[in-house]
Amino acid sequence: MKKTVQTLVAICSLLISSVAFPDDCKSDNSGYYCAKDWKAEYMDGPCKVKEESKPYEYKVEIKCKDGYGAHWAGEWKDEYWDGPCKIKRDVKFDEYKEEVKCRRDD
């Protein structure tokens, strides 16, 4: 059950990030890349979403008041590598944080 929830959260975060990146941002074999820094704050239903991107870094923080509207369940911390990118997740009942940092291969 926990693995299924983590998989769903990962898929949802990838979908959100692919929609949220401005036109001058892309994902390539060296990870996320934006030509310039950008930030976005918006509401997703009852949840407040903050996104921030710098070259080869991406952060998203989702806060849902009292857990209402949260699409994840449980609490956990996770840290792993996905290719050249290190992904850290800190998940609580009412808050989801994800940070992606990618190594730059010039």
Side-chain angles (χ1 to χ4, degrees):
M1 173 76 178
K2 184 177 176 182
K3 213 47 158 168
T4 304
V5 172
Q6 288 178 341
T7 303
L8 288 173
V9 169
I11 291 170
C12 289
S13 65
L14 287 174
L15 289 174
I16 289 170
S17 64
S18 65
V19 171
F21 273 144
D23 291 340
D24 60 346
C25 298
K26 63 185 175 191
S27 177
D28 58 17
N29 63 348
S30 58
Y32 297 109
Y33 173 77
C34 286
K36 59 183 179 178
D37 296 353
W38 65 270
K39 292 182 182 181
E41 286 189 33
Y42 55 91
M43 296 298 293
D44 183 8
C47 302
K48 185 175 183 178
V49 180
K50 291 182 184 178
E51 291 183 276
E52 183 179 342
S53 181
K54 298 177 184 176
Y56 300 97
E57 287 186 32
Y58 172 76
K59 295 179 187 176
V60 63
E61 183 177 302
I62 304 169
K63 291 185 179 181
C64 302
K65 188 173 183 176
D66 299 324
Y68 179 72
H71 58 271
W72 58 89
E75 295 187 16
W76 72 91
K77 288 187 179 188
D78 202 7
E79 193 172 316
Y80 61 94
W81 285 91
D82 183 10
C85 300
K86 185 174 188 177
I87 300 171
K88 291 183 184 179
R89 291 191 183 123
D90 186 7
V91 182
K92 299 177 184 165
F93 171 70
D94 60 347
E95 185 175 32
Y96 175 89
K97 292 182 183 178
E98 180 176 288
E99 182 178 310
V100 179
K101 289 187 178 181
C102 301
R103 287 184 291 197
R104 186 174 177 171
D105 297 328
D106 289 335

